[in-house]
């Protein structure tokens, strides 16, 4: 997982420049594959995506995101070159195999909305994923799961709340001391 240190997020006609972490969630895995070229693949159904992600944390190299079942809440934290940040929002899924994280990220540089979406396809037990809109299809989980599958970074535990809350507290204290 990677977190971009700079980037632009489109919100309607305005562009917000995000200094700390425009969420980029997926680096290009070594196991790249073209799901659209794989015979027998189909978009994952909403309940399949839901069961894959519900009540799990997705570990990244410098952070994690957590998807709770209750209210489809999404929370995350990241610790990049420009410092720590945290996010809260929702995760949504569609019948066309799309998973999106809609959240507001908070850092020393301020707050900004971000939306990250991933398409999912399945064929012969293999799950393929692609970051939308311009990502490449790659194997997210092989039919027989492998240690280096990206799906192996989905953990049935909350790896976010405690760290998010400490970052939140630290950033709040820092902002109060500047006033």
């Amino acid at each position: 997982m990677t977190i971009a240190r700079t980037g632009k997020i489109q919100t309607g006609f305005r562009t917000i420049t995000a200094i700390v972490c425009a969420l980029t969630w997926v680096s290009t895995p070594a196991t790249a594959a073209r799901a659209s070229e794989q015979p027998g693949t189909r978009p994952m159904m909403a309940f399949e995506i839901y069961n894959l992600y519900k009540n799990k944390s997705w570990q990244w190299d410098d952070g994690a995101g957590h998807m709770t079942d209750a209210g489809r809440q999404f929370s995350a934290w990241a610790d990049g070159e420009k410092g720590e940040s945290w996010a809260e929002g929702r995760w949504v899924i569609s019948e066309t195999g799309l998973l999106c994280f809609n959240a507001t990220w908070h850092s020393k540089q301020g707050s900004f909305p971000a939306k990250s979406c991933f398409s999912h396809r399945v064929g012969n037990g293999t799950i393929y994923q692609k970051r939308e809109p311009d990502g490449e299809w790659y194997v997210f989980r092989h039919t027989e799961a492998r240690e280096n599958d990206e799906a192996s970074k989905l953990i049935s535990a909350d790896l976010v709340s405690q760290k998010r809350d400490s970052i939140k507290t630290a950033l709040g204290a820092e902002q109060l001391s500047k006033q």
Side-chain angles (χ1 to χ4, degrees), residues 6-42:
T6 61
K8 293 190 178 192
I9 299 169
Q10 296 292 330
T11 57
F13 293 104
R14 282 183 18 188
T15 300
I16 298 173
T17 301
I19 305 284
V20 168
C21 59
L23 198 52
T24 59
W25 297 66
V26 173
S27 57
T28 306
T31 57
R34 303 244 181 247
S36 60
E37 297 170 5
Q38 297 293 326
T41 64
R42 63 167 174 77

PDB file of all heavy atoms in Angstrom, residues 6-42:
ATOM      1  N   THR A   6       1.684  14.051  -2.122  1.00  0.00           N
ATOM      2  CA  THR A   6       1.033  15.229  -2.675  1.00  0.00           C
ATOM      3  C   THR A   6       0.059  14.752  -3.729  1.00  0.00           C
ATOM      4  O   THR A   6       0.211  13.694  -4.307  1.00  0.00           O
ATOM      5  CB  THR A   6       2.027  16.201  -3.346  1.00  0.00           C
ATOM      6  OG1 THR A   6       2.658  15.527  -4.414  1.00  0.00           O
ATOM      7  CG2 THR A   6       3.040  16.713  -2.345  1.00  0.00           C
ATOM      8  N   GLY A   7      -0.949  15.549  -3.984  1.00  0.00           N
ATOM      9  CA  GLY A   7      -1.914  15.169  -4.997  1.00  0.00           C
ATOM     10  C   GLY A   7      -3.038  16.170  -5.049  1.00  0.00           C
ATOM     11  O   GLY A   7      -3.122  17.082  -4.246  1.00  0.00           O
ATOM     12  N   LYS A   8      -3.896  16.008  -6.032  1.00  0.00           N
ATOM     13  CA  LYS A   8      -5.051  16.882  -6.169  1.00  0.00           C
ATOM     14  C   LYS A   8      -6.296  16.031  -6.139  1.00  0.00           C
ATOM     15  O   LYS A   8      -6.366  14.991  -6.766  1.00  0.00           O
ATOM     16  CB  LYS A   8      -4.987  17.672  -7.461  1.00  0.00           C
ATOM     17  CG  LYS A   8      -3.837  18.653  -7.444  1.00  0.00           C
ATOM     18  CD  LYS A   8      -3.900  19.590  -8.569  1.00  0.00           C
ATOM     19  CE  LYS A   8      -2.720  20.542  -8.417  1.00  0.00           C
ATOM     20  NZ  LYS A   8      -2.800  21.654  -9.253  1.00  0.00           N
ATOM     21  N   ILE A   9      -7.274  16.485  -5.398  1.00  0.00           N
ATOM     22  CA  ILE A   9      -8.532  15.782  -5.289  1.00  0.00           C
ATOM     23  C   ILE A   9      -9.599  16.687  -5.886  1.00  0.00           C
ATOM     24  O   ILE A   9      -9.731  17.848  -5.495  1.00  0.00           O
ATOM     25  CB  ILE A   9      -8.840  15.480  -3.816  1.00  0.00           C
ATOM     26  CG1 ILE A   9      -7.734  14.586  -3.262  1.00  0.00           C
ATOM     27  CG2 ILE A   9     -10.206  14.834  -3.677  1.00  0.00           C
ATOM     28  CD1 ILE A   9      -7.775  14.434  -1.794  1.00  0.00           C
ATOM     29  N   GLN A  10     -10.371  16.156  -6.811  1.00  0.00           N
ATOM     30  CA  GLN A  10     -11.414  16.932  -7.453  1.00  0.00           C
ATOM     31  C   GLN A  10     -12.677  16.901  -6.603  1.00  0.00           C
ATOM     32  O   GLN A  10     -13.123  15.848  -6.186  1.00  0.00           O
ATOM     33  CB  GLN A  10     -11.732  16.361  -8.837  1.00  0.00           C
ATOM     34  CG  GLN A  10     -10.579  16.442  -9.805  1.00  0.00           C
ATOM     35  CD  GLN A  10     -10.235  17.862 -10.193  1.00  0.00           C
ATOM     36  OE1 GLN A  10     -11.086  18.746 -10.218  1.00  0.00           O
ATOM     37  NE2 GLN A  10      -8.980  18.088 -10.482  1.00  0.00           N
ATOM     38  N   THR A  11     -13.244  18.058  -6.302  1.00  0.00           N
ATOM     39  CA  THR A  11     -14.523  18.147  -5.609  1.00  0.00           C
ATOM     40  C   THR A  11     -15.376  19.120  -6.407  1.00  0.00           C
ATOM     41  O   THR A  11     -15.300  20.314  -6.243  1.00  0.00           O
ATOM     42  CB  THR A  11     -14.371  18.646  -4.168  1.00  0.00           C
ATOM     43  OG1 THR A  11     -13.720  19.912  -4.196  1.00  0.00           O
ATOM     44  CG2 THR A  11     -13.570  17.671  -3.327  1.00  0.00           C
ATOM     45  N   GLY A  12     -16.204  18.579  -7.304  1.00  0.00           N
ATOM     46  CA  GLY A  12     -16.998  19.439  -8.167  1.00  0.00           C
ATOM     47  C   GLY A  12     -16.080  20.214  -9.077  1.00  0.00           C
ATOM     48  O   GLY A  12     -15.249  19.641  -9.773  1.00  0.00           O
ATOM     49  N   PHE A  13     -16.191  21.526  -9.066  1.00  0.00           N
ATOM     50  CA  PHE A  13     -15.364  22.375  -9.920  1.00  0.00           C
ATOM     51  C   PHE A  13     -14.119  22.870  -9.194  1.00  0.00           C
ATOM     52  O   PHE A  13     -13.270  23.500  -9.774  1.00  0.00           O
ATOM     53  CB  PHE A  13     -16.173  23.576 -10.434  1.00  0.00           C
ATOM     54  CG  PHE A  13     -17.262  23.159 -11.359  1.00  0.00           C
ATOM     55  CD1 PHE A  13     -18.572  23.135 -10.929  1.00  0.00           C
ATOM     56  CD2 PHE A  13     -16.973  22.738 -12.647  1.00  0.00           C
ATOM     57  CE1 PHE A  13     -19.576  22.730 -11.770  1.00  0.00           C
ATOM     58  CE2 PHE A  13     -17.974  22.343 -13.493  1.00  0.00           C
ATOM     59  CZ  PHE A  13     -19.284  22.335 -13.061  1.00  0.00           C
ATOM     60  N   ARG A  14     -14.021  22.592  -7.883  1.00  0.00           N
ATOM     61  CA  ARG A  14     -12.860  23.021  -7.101  1.00  0.00           C
ATOM     62  C   ARG A  14     -11.839  21.913  -7.011  1.00  0.00           C
ATOM     63  O   ARG A  14     -12.144  20.749  -6.984  1.00  0.00           O
ATOM     64  CB  ARG A  14     -13.274  23.371  -5.669  1.00  0.00           C
ATOM     65  CG  ARG A  14     -13.910  24.704  -5.540  1.00  0.00           C
ATOM     66  CD  ARG A  14     -14.237  25.045  -4.130  1.00  0.00           C
ATOM     67  NE  ARG A  14     -13.519  24.235  -3.153  1.00  0.00           N
ATOM     68  CZ  ARG A  14     -13.774  24.272  -1.882  1.00  0.00           C
ATOM     69  NH1 ARG A  14     -14.688  25.034  -1.403  1.00  0.00           N
ATOM     70  NH2 ARG A  14     -13.091  23.519  -1.046  1.00  0.00           N
ATOM     71  N   THR A  15     -10.617  22.275  -6.936  1.00  0.00           N
ATOM     72  CA  THR A  15      -9.540  21.321  -6.717  1.00  0.00           C
ATOM     73  C   THR A  15      -8.885  21.642  -5.390  1.00  0.00           C
ATOM     74  O   THR A  15      -8.522  22.777  -5.132  1.00  0.00           O
ATOM     75  CB  THR A  15      -8.483  21.415  -7.839  1.00  0.00           C
ATOM     76  OG1 THR A  15      -9.119  21.130  -9.068  1.00  0.00           O
ATOM     77  CG2 THR A  15      -7.357  20.441  -7.599  1.00  0.00           C
ATOM     78  N   ILE A  16      -8.771  20.635  -4.558  1.00  0.00           N
ATOM     79  CA  ILE A  16      -8.106  20.808  -3.272  1.00  0.00           C
ATOM     80  C   ILE A  16      -6.758  20.119  -3.374  1.00  0.00           C
ATOM     81  O   ILE A  16      -6.665  18.964  -3.735  1.00  0.00           O
ATOM     82  CB  ILE A  16      -8.939  20.181  -2.138  1.00  0.00           C
ATOM     83  CG1 ILE A  16     -10.302  20.874  -2.045  1.00  0.00           C
ATOM     84  CG2 ILE A  16      -8.187  20.256  -0.825  1.00  0.00           C
ATOM     85  CD1 ILE A  16     -11.238  20.215  -1.084  1.00  0.00           C
ATOM     86  N   THR A  17      -5.710  20.845  -3.058  1.00  0.00           N
ATOM     87  CA  THR A  17      -4.385  20.227  -3.066  1.00  0.00           C
ATOM     88  C   THR A  17      -4.150  19.600  -1.708  1.00  0.00           C
ATOM     89  O   THR A  17      -4.238  20.263  -0.695  1.00  0.00           O
ATOM     90  CB  THR A  17      -3.312  21.278  -3.365  1.00  0.00           C
ATOM     91  OG1 THR A  17      -3.596  21.852  -4.635  1.00  0.00           O
ATOM     92  CG2 THR A  17      -1.935  20.635  -3.376  1.00  0.00           C
ATOM     93  N   ALA A  18      -3.867  18.330  -1.714  1.00  0.00           N
ATOM     94  CA  ALA A  18      -3.639  17.596  -0.478  1.00  0.00           C
ATOM     95  C   ALA A  18      -2.145  17.399  -0.301  1.00  0.00           C
ATOM     96  O   ALA A  18      -1.531  16.706  -1.079  1.00  0.00           O
ATOM     97  CB  ALA A  18      -4.355  16.256  -0.540  1.00  0.00           C
ATOM     98  N   ILE A  19      -1.579  18.024   0.720  1.00  0.00           N
ATOM     99  CA  ILE A  19      -0.151  17.962   0.950  1.00  0.00           C
ATOM    100  C   ILE A  19       0.262  16.620   1.551  1.00  0.00           C
ATOM    101  O   ILE A  19       1.261  16.051   1.151  1.00  0.00           O
ATOM    102  CB  ILE A  19       0.287  19.093   1.914  1.00  0.00           C
ATOM    103  CG1 ILE A  19      -0.150  20.433   1.392  1.00  0.00           C
ATOM    104  CG2 ILE A  19       1.781  19.032   2.171  1.00  0.00           C
ATOM    105  CD1 ILE A  19       0.646  20.977   0.261  1.00  0.00           C
ATOM    106  N   VAL A  20      -0.488  16.117   2.517  1.00  0.00           N
ATOM    107  CA  VAL A  20      -0.019  14.955   3.249  1.00  0.00           C
ATOM    108  C   VAL A  20      -0.382  13.641   2.604  1.00  0.00           C
ATOM    109  O   VAL A  20       0.471  12.813   2.388  1.00  0.00           O
ATOM    110  CB  VAL A  20      -0.538  14.981   4.695  1.00  0.00           C
ATOM    111  CG1 VAL A  20      -0.316  13.651   5.369  1.00  0.00           C
ATOM    112  CG2 VAL A  20       0.191  16.047   5.461  1.00  0.00           C
ATOM    113  N   CYS A  21      -1.648  13.397   2.328  1.00  0.00           N
ATOM    114  CA  CYS A  21      -1.932  12.040   1.875  1.00  0.00           C
ATOM    115  C   CYS A  21      -3.202  11.962   1.054  1.00  0.00           C
ATOM    116  O   CYS A  21      -4.260  11.832   1.591  1.00  0.00           O
ATOM    117  CB  CYS A  21      -1.984  11.077   3.045  1.00  0.00           C
ATOM    118  SG  CYS A  21      -3.214  11.493   4.263  1.00  0.00           S
ATOM    119  N   ALA A  22      -3.066  12.074  -0.223  1.00  0.00           N
ATOM    120  CA  ALA A  22      -4.162  11.716  -1.111  1.00  0.00           C
ATOM    121  C   ALA A  22      -4.070  10.207  -1.196  1.00  0.00           C
ATOM    122  O   ALA A  22      -3.063   9.664  -1.580  1.00  0.00           O
ATOM    123  CB  ALA A  22      -3.979  12.357  -2.472  1.00  0.00           C
ATOM    124  N   LEU A  23      -5.107   9.544  -0.792  1.00  0.00           N
ATOM    125  CA  LEU A  23      -5.066   8.098  -0.658  1.00  0.00           C
ATOM    126  C   LEU A  23      -4.904   7.426  -2.002  1.00  0.00           C
ATOM    127  O   LEU A  23      -5.665   7.661  -2.909  1.00  0.00           O
ATOM    128  CB  LEU A  23      -6.375   7.666  -0.004  1.00  0.00           C
ATOM    129  CG  LEU A  23      -6.451   6.318   0.619  1.00  0.00           C
ATOM    130  CD1 LEU A  23      -5.301   6.123   1.597  1.00  0.00           C
ATOM    131  CD2 LEU A  23      -7.758   6.179   1.340  1.00  0.00           C
ATOM    132  N   THR A  24      -3.881   6.577  -2.144  1.00  0.00           N
ATOM    133  CA  THR A  24      -3.693   5.834  -3.381  1.00  0.00           C
ATOM    134  C   THR A  24      -3.763   4.338  -3.179  1.00  0.00           C
ATOM    135  O   THR A  24      -3.662   3.595  -4.122  1.00  0.00           O
ATOM    136  CB  THR A  24      -2.359   6.199  -4.069  1.00  0.00           C
ATOM    137  OG1 THR A  24      -1.305   5.908  -3.193  1.00  0.00           O
ATOM    138  CG2 THR A  24      -2.336   7.627  -4.510  1.00  0.00           C
ATOM    139  N   TRP A  25      -3.921   3.816  -2.067  1.00  0.00           N
ATOM    140  CA  TRP A  25      -4.221   2.464  -1.629  1.00  0.00           C
ATOM    141  C   TRP A  25      -3.537   1.321  -2.317  1.00  0.00           C
ATOM    142  O   TRP A  25      -3.275   0.343  -1.682  1.00  0.00           O
ATOM    143  CB  TRP A  25      -5.715   2.216  -1.713  1.00  0.00           C
ATOM    144  CG  TRP A  25      -6.448   3.086  -0.829  1.00  0.00           C
ATOM    145  CD1 TRP A  25      -6.548   4.437  -0.927  1.00  0.00           C
ATOM    146  CD2 TRP A  25      -7.167   2.725   0.317  1.00  0.00           C
ATOM    147  NE1 TRP A  25      -7.288   4.912   0.080  1.00  0.00           N
ATOM    148  CE2 TRP A  25      -7.694   3.880   0.850  1.00  0.00           C
ATOM    149  CE3 TRP A  25      -7.411   1.509   0.945  1.00  0.00           C
ATOM    150  CZ2 TRP A  25      -8.445   3.870   1.962  1.00  0.00           C
ATOM    151  CZ3 TRP A  25      -8.189   1.514   2.047  1.00  0.00           C
ATOM    152  CH2 TRP A  25      -8.685   2.689   2.538  1.00  0.00           C
ATOM    153  N   VAL A  26      -3.297   1.372  -3.608  1.00  0.00           N
ATOM    154  CA  VAL A  26      -2.750   0.171  -4.237  1.00  0.00           C
ATOM    155  C   VAL A  26      -1.537   0.523  -5.070  1.00  0.00           C
ATOM    156  O   VAL A  26      -1.596   1.347  -5.950  1.00  0.00           O
ATOM    157  CB  VAL A  26      -3.784  -0.525  -5.137  1.00  0.00           C
ATOM    158  CG1 VAL A  26      -3.162  -1.652  -5.910  1.00  0.00           C
ATOM    159  CG2 VAL A  26      -4.936  -1.058  -4.301  1.00  0.00           C
ATOM    160  N   SER A  27      -0.448  -0.096  -4.766  1.00  0.00           N
ATOM    161  CA  SER A  27       0.705  -0.011  -5.638  1.00  0.00           C
ATOM    162  C   SER A  27       0.553  -1.119  -6.666  1.00  0.00           C
ATOM    163  O   SER A  27      -0.286  -1.982  -6.529  1.00  0.00           O
ATOM    164  CB  SER A  27       1.988  -0.180  -4.827  1.00  0.00           C
ATOM    165  OG  SER A  27       1.955  -1.399  -4.135  1.00  0.00           O
ATOM    166  N   THR A  28       1.323  -1.092  -7.710  1.00  0.00           N
ATOM    167  CA  THR A  28       1.192  -2.106  -8.742  1.00  0.00           C
ATOM    168  C   THR A  28       1.843  -3.389  -8.276  1.00  0.00           C
ATOM    169  O   THR A  28       3.053  -3.469  -8.172  1.00  0.00           O
ATOM    170  CB  THR A  28       1.850  -1.623 -10.044  1.00  0.00           C
ATOM    171  OG1 THR A  28       1.291  -0.364 -10.369  1.00  0.00           O
ATOM    172  CG2 THR A  28       1.589  -2.599 -11.158  1.00  0.00           C
ATOM    173  N   PRO A  29       1.039  -4.408  -7.962  1.00  0.00           N
ATOM    174  CA  PRO A  29       1.610  -5.665  -7.492  1.00  0.00           C
ATOM    175  C   PRO A  29       2.369  -6.374  -8.603  1.00  0.00           C
ATOM    176  O   PRO A  29       2.099  -6.186  -9.772  1.00  0.00           O
ATOM    177  CB  PRO A  29       0.383  -6.479  -7.068  1.00  0.00           C
ATOM    178  CG  PRO A  29      -0.692  -5.473  -6.872  1.00  0.00           C
ATOM    179  CD  PRO A  29      -0.384  -4.360  -7.844  1.00  0.00           C
ATOM    180  N   ALA A  30       3.282  -7.215  -8.209  1.00  0.00           N
ATOM    181  CA  ALA A  30       4.076  -7.963  -9.183  1.00  0.00           C
ATOM    182  C   ALA A  30       3.226  -8.950  -9.955  1.00  0.00           C
ATOM    183  O   ALA A  30       3.579  -9.346 -11.060  1.00  0.00           O
ATOM    184  CB  ALA A  30       5.195  -8.699  -8.465  1.00  0.00           C
ATOM    185  N   THR A  31       2.072  -9.315  -9.400  1.00  0.00           N
ATOM    186  CA  THR A  31       1.217 -10.304 -10.052  1.00  0.00           C
ATOM    187  C   THR A  31       0.147  -9.626 -10.904  1.00  0.00           C
ATOM    188  O   THR A  31      -1.032  -9.898 -10.772  1.00  0.00           O
ATOM    189  CB  THR A  31       0.547 -11.203  -9.000  1.00  0.00           C
ATOM    190  OG1 THR A  31      -0.189 -10.369  -8.104  1.00  0.00           O
ATOM    191  CG2 THR A  31       1.559 -12.036  -8.254  1.00  0.00           C
ATOM    192  N   ALA A  32       0.544  -8.734 -11.777  1.00  0.00           N
ATOM    193  CA  ALA A  32      -0.417  -8.042 -12.623  1.00  0.00           C
ATOM    194  C   ALA A  32      -1.095  -9.021 -13.560  1.00  0.00           C
ATOM    195  O   ALA A  32      -0.503  -9.961 -14.042  1.00  0.00           O
ATOM    196  CB  ALA A  32       0.293  -6.953 -13.433  1.00  0.00           C
ATOM    197  N   ALA A  33      -2.379  -8.790 -13.791  1.00  0.00           N
ATOM    198  CA  ALA A  33      -3.149  -9.629 -14.705  1.00  0.00           C
ATOM    199  C   ALA A  33      -4.266  -8.801 -15.289  1.00  0.00           C
ATOM    200  O   ALA A  33      -4.742  -7.870 -14.668  1.00  0.00           O
ATOM    201  CB  ALA A  33      -3.705 -10.840 -13.964  1.00  0.00           C
ATOM    202  N   ARG A  34      -4.684  -9.122 -16.433  1.00  0.00           N
ATOM    203  CA  ARG A  34      -5.782  -8.430 -17.091  1.00  0.00           C
ATOM    204  C   ARG A  34      -7.062  -9.235 -16.894  1.00  0.00           C
ATOM    205  O   ARG A  34      -7.326 -10.167 -17.633  1.00  0.00           O
ATOM    206  CB  ARG A  34      -5.482  -8.274 -18.568  1.00  0.00           C
ATOM    207  CG  ARG A  34      -4.191  -7.542 -18.819  1.00  0.00           C
ATOM    208  CD  ARG A  34      -4.471  -6.258 -19.529  1.00  0.00           C
ATOM    209  NE  ARG A  34      -3.235  -5.581 -19.782  1.00  0.00           N
ATOM    210  CZ  ARG A  34      -2.903  -4.444 -19.200  1.00  0.00           C
ATOM    211  NH1 ARG A  34      -3.686  -3.882 -18.348  1.00  0.00           N
ATOM    212  NH2 ARG A  34      -1.760  -3.863 -19.491  1.00  0.00           N
ATOM    213  N   ALA A  35      -7.869  -8.857 -15.894  1.00  0.00           N
ATOM    214  CA  ALA A  35      -9.087  -9.613 -15.606  1.00  0.00           C
ATOM    215  C   ALA A  35     -10.050  -9.552 -16.773  1.00  0.00           C
ATOM    216  O   ALA A  35     -10.737 -10.522 -17.060  1.00  0.00           O
ATOM    217  CB  ALA A  35      -9.755  -9.077 -14.347  1.00  0.00           C
ATOM    218  N   SER A  36     -10.097  -8.417 -17.456  1.00  0.00           N
ATOM    219  CA  SER A  36     -11.023  -8.302 -18.573  1.00  0.00           C
ATOM    220  C   SER A  36     -10.641  -9.255 -19.696  1.00  0.00           C
ATOM    221  O   SER A  36     -11.466  -9.590 -20.537  1.00  0.00           O
ATOM    222  CB  SER A  36     -11.070  -6.855 -19.083  1.00  0.00           C
ATOM    223  OG  SER A  36      -9.782  -6.463 -19.502  1.00  0.00           O
ATOM    224  N   GLU A  37      -9.393  -9.723 -19.713  1.00  0.00           N
ATOM    225  CA  GLU A  37      -8.940 -10.654 -20.737  1.00  0.00           C
ATOM    226  C   GLU A  37      -8.988 -12.096 -20.229  1.00  0.00           C
ATOM    227  O   GLU A  37      -8.663 -13.018 -20.961  1.00  0.00           O
ATOM    228  CB  GLU A  37      -7.514 -10.314 -21.156  1.00  0.00           C
ATOM    229  CG  GLU A  37      -7.413  -8.942 -21.799  1.00  0.00           C
ATOM    230  CD  GLU A  37      -5.981  -8.498 -22.009  1.00  0.00           C
ATOM    231  OE1 GLU A  37      -5.052  -9.285 -21.754  1.00  0.00           O
ATOM    232  OE2 GLU A  37      -5.792  -7.345 -22.406  1.00  0.00           O
ATOM    233  N   GLN A  38      -9.360 -12.290 -18.980  1.00  0.00           N
ATOM    234  CA  GLN A  38      -9.437 -13.621 -18.399  1.00  0.00           C
ATOM    235  C   GLN A  38     -10.794 -14.236 -18.747  1.00  0.00           C
ATOM    236  O   GLN A  38     -11.824 -13.672 -18.424  1.00  0.00           O
ATOM    237  CB  GLN A  38      -9.275 -13.561 -16.877  1.00  0.00           C
ATOM    238  CG  GLN A  38      -7.955 -13.036 -16.411  1.00  0.00           C
ATOM    239  CD  GLN A  38      -6.816 -13.963 -16.762  1.00  0.00           C
ATOM    240  OE1 GLN A  38      -6.962 -15.167 -16.771  1.00  0.00           O
ATOM    241  NE2 GLN A  38      -5.679 -13.382 -17.100  1.00  0.00           N
ATOM    242  N   PRO A  39     -10.804 -15.386 -19.393  1.00  0.00           N
ATOM    243  CA  PRO A  39     -12.083 -16.014 -19.705  1.00  0.00           C
ATOM    244  C   PRO A  39     -12.826 -16.383 -18.432  1.00  0.00           C
ATOM    245  O   PRO A  39     -12.213 -16.785 -17.443  1.00  0.00           O
ATOM    246  CB  PRO A  39     -11.697 -17.270 -20.487  1.00  0.00           C
ATOM    247  CG  PRO A  39     -10.228 -17.304 -20.561  1.00  0.00           C
ATOM    248  CD  PRO A  39      -9.665 -16.142 -19.822  1.00  0.00           C
ATOM    249  N   GLY A  40     -14.106 -16.207 -18.448  1.00  0.00           N
ATOM    250  CA  GLY A  40     -14.936 -16.634 -17.329  1.00  0.00           C
ATOM    251  C   GLY A  40     -14.973 -15.700 -16.137  1.00  0.00           C
ATOM    252  O   GLY A  40     -15.472 -16.101 -15.092  1.00  0.00           O
ATOM    253  N   THR A  41     -14.448 -14.476 -16.242  1.00  0.00           N
ATOM    254  CA  THR A  41     -14.558 -13.563 -15.104  1.00  0.00           C
ATOM    255  C   THR A  41     -15.876 -12.816 -15.189  1.00  0.00           C
ATOM    256  O   THR A  41     -16.452 -12.649 -16.251  1.00  0.00           O
ATOM    257  CB  THR A  41     -13.395 -12.552 -15.036  1.00  0.00           C
ATOM    258  OG1 THR A  41     -13.435 -11.715 -16.167  1.00  0.00           O
ATOM    259  CG2 THR A  41     -12.063 -13.247 -14.893  1.00  0.00           C
ATOM    260  N   ARG A  42     -16.326 -12.385 -14.032  1.00  0.00           N
ATOM    261  CA  ARG A  42     -17.552 -11.585 -13.927  1.00  0.00           C
ATOM    262  C   ARG A  42     -17.362 -10.587 -12.799  1.00  0.00           C
ATOM    263  O   ARG A  42     -16.523 -10.799 -11.910  1.00  0.00           O
ATOM    264  CB  ARG A  42     -18.752 -12.481 -13.638  1.00  0.00           C
ATOM    265  CG  ARG A  42     -18.631 -13.196 -12.309  1.00  0.00           C
ATOM    266  CD  ARG A  42     -19.938 -13.839 -11.857  1.00  0.00           C
ATOM    267  NE  ARG A  42     -19.743 -14.632 -10.659  1.00  0.00           N
ATOM    268  CZ  ARG A  42     -19.621 -14.144  -9.425  1.00  0.00           C
ATOM    269  NH1 ARG A  42     -19.657 -12.845  -9.219  1.00  0.00           N
ATOM    270  NH2 ARG A  42     -19.449 -14.947  -8.389  1.00  0.00           N
TER     271      ARG A  42
END
